[in-house]
Structures are given as C-alpha cells and as structure tokens.
C-alpha cells in the first residue's frame, strides 16, 4: 500500500469536479460538497471511480 498525499488529491478532485460544474454538469456540485468532507479512504475510492490514477499522488 502506498502513502497518498490526501491534501493534493482533495485539491485535484475539487478542481476536477468544480470544472465539471461550469462545463455543463451541475450535478457535479454535489460531488464537490461530498469531497470537502470525505476521509482519505473515501477520496481514494472516489478518484478510482472517476478513473484518476492515484500514482500521481504517491508520497516519496
């Protein structure tokens, strides 16, 4: 198991979903609200659901 930079992942997901909101997918606003309060494990699961490569956020 790798150590993930959760702060960087959270910032990336907020940007990713926030961009979707302004690109015509207003339902992504719900994802933004959820991402702000997710635990580290939940953030990793959400990133995997969205097809984001978590290796980008591995520390060390």
């Amino acid at each position: 198991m790798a150590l993930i930079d959760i702060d960087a992942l959270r910032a990336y997901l907020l940007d990713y979903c926030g961009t979707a909101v302004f690109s015509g997918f207003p339902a992504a606003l719900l994802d933004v609200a959820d991402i702000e309060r997710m635990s580290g494990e939940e953030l990793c699961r959400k990133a995997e659901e969205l097809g984001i490569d978590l290796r980008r956020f591995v520390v060390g």
Side-chain angles (χ1 to χ4, degrees):
M1 182 181 282
L3 183 62
I4 302 292
D5 183 344
I6 295 302
D7 293 328
L9 178 57
R10 186 182 315 275
Y12 181 85
L13 287 173
L14 287 171
D15 184 56
Y16 183 89
C17 292
T19 301
V21 170
F22 294 106
S23 296
F25 297 101
L29 187 58
L30 297 173
D31 286 336
V32 170
D34 289 341
I35 288 166
E36 290 177 340
R37 64 177 181 267
M38 284 181 176
S39 70
E41 288 180 22
E42 292 170 323
L43 285 172
C44 290
R45 279 195 296 272
K46 181 67 172 178
E48 289 175 337
E49 288 173 13
L50 294 171
I52 296 166
D53 185 2
L54 289 175
R55 290 179 291 188
R56 297 174 58 182
F57 302 98
V58 171
V59 176

